[in-house]
Amino acid sequence: MLRYLIRRGISSIAVLVISVLLVFLTIRILPGDPVLAKLGAATEVTPEALALMRKEAGLDRPLLSQLWTWVANALQGDLGISYFSQFKVTELVAIRLPVTFELTFFIILFAVIFSLILAPLSVRKPGGALDRGIGYFTSIGLSVPGFVIGIVLILFFSLRFQILPSRGFTPLSESVTENLKLMILPSITGGLTATPYLVRYLRASMLEIKQSPFIRTAEGKGLSNSRIMFRHILPNSLVPALTMLGLIVGYTLSGVVVIEYMFGLPGIGSLAIESAFKRDYAVIQGVALTIITLFIVTTFLFDLLCGLVDPRLRMNKEEKLEA
Amino acid sequence: MSNLIDVRNLTLTVPSTKGRVPVVQDLSFTIKQGEKLGLVGESGSGKSLTAFSLMRLIKDPVRIESGEIYINGVDVLKLSAEQFRKYRGSEIAMIYQDPMSALNPIMKIGDQIVESIQLHNKISKADARRFAIELLASVGIPEPEERINSYPFEMSGGMLQRVVIAIALSGEPKVLIADEATTALDVTTQERVLNLLNRLAEERNLSVLLITHDLGVAAQFSDRINVMYGGKLVEQGKIKDVFTNPFHPYTRALLDSRCDYTVDVNKPIRSIAGQPPRPDNRPPGCVFAPRCEHTISQCTSEAPTLRSVKERQVACIRVEELSVRN
């Protein structure tokens, strides 16, 4: 197990370093910089003044030197300050993260609950009416982009029936009901996008398990169909599905950008968009670092979770990796 | 002694380009209480499908087309799936071909036995556990109190087959089907598992249907034997009679092609020329005719039916002349 953890740690750090480097370079290759963004439409600036402002921001220094300063500070937990608000990047991220976490939690909850209902229903009679119906639903869910689902939901629930708010955010600490109300539409939007992936994956995995000889053994015992489904087929299908779920959680954490922006939720996704428009280098880098770390940590946690479900992974991990 | 199992005119079909064709055709046999019946034949002869029919575990695309299966006097094919579920495990239980894949890989073997015990008896989990340990001990698993907490991947094939047997016995069935139960095991383990099955059958007065392609295993174990070829029964009789003097040319060819330590190593092993016919391509007359060395023109035109010959049933039109010549 220790050996496994070390290997996993090394590869994670490699991924982290490479992706941070890529982000650092690409935002600087893009046209424009924070100074130009701050000046906006004001074109009456002399080149001398521009150069001075860039010098103050430290943008005149060679790229490698900028990178070095950033890495050295980041290693000490200092991600720099926003060029615009002058807030510390760590603080900006810390304020925004809970919103993203909450939204991700609800989206995943939605997806997990519906997958655990739909996949077994689908597998009960493959090719039957119910299975085909669920198949159509997932096809639609996979092909319709999240923002379209969001817009449709807003049209119905906020504009037509006016039962749910479409934009804004109230912290949990202020009002729980207000907060939850604002979370409903974004969560459904994200959930409807994530559910089809999970349903399809779980269904395929369950169908495969259903063909296994040990399911025949279970049938031969005289067990009821529902017991076979939930005690034998489903638990055995969870291992591959959990890996998929880990990826989905990772993607959702980083991919709620659009949903947050559409529903005006001040999460890390909106922070990413705002700072990208303004070329607020330090903030973009901080957000990227956070999202990549979250992604690595969640997929790792879900791999550990697989070990909890499958004793073979739990007990054999070491031997297998050494072999 | 009454017939615990009575199969009458069972026909199973599969879809093919020519429509549904039979894989098992017009099969009838009985098993008495406490009797051990061997069912032999080569791959594709329909023996495993016969076993699964008895458990009603036939899955698409195979279908039970016609026939009756009486278990203890009840035609179980007429029962609803829900009604028949109560027969599984408590009247009739099965041991499967590959013990390595016959158990749930992520469930402790103890839980898999307890699950079955609790289904058939209304007892507490603690009592069911005690019963499971007893069962494990009776199938010859050492240190059953420890082993009950093992996962399948922690045990050998022979031990796993014992666990499968323990599960099969947990509902105290009257009939046990062993479908190639020793095929996946090595020879010494095979011997031990067979002896165990034999002992359990005696102790519990079980009726056993032993399905195997290994004539040696069948001979060692069963009282009577059914020989199947191409989905049909070709010979049926007491194991001793059939083995010492096979009537049907297929049974004889099967015995001649046997190879184990009892066979003279200097004699070449004879094989049966050709391949068994596919279900959608069976000849009109006797199914074995194309591979038989005694074929006459009548064989290819007229399908032989099972006839009683000296306490035996044989499906061969030339059985009298051939058995006399032998």
Side-chain angles (χ1 to χ4, degrees), chain B residues 240-252:
Chain B
K240 237 177 117 186
D241 297 347
V242 175
F243 257 67
T244 48
N245 185 17
F247 282 176
H248 197 284
Y250 175 65
T251 319
R252 191 173 308 148

Side-chain angles (χ1 to χ4, degrees), chain B residues 60-72:
Chain B
D60 272 346
V62 186
R63 196 193 292 159
I64 299 180
E65 204 64 41
S66 60
E68 289 125 53
I69 297 174
Y70 291 91
I71 298 180
N72 223 347

Side-chain angles (χ1 to χ4, degrees), chain A residues 145-157:
Chain A
F147 64 86
V148 174
I149 298 176
I151 290 169
V152 171
L153 287 175
I154 292 176
L155 277 176
F156 266 87
F157 292 99

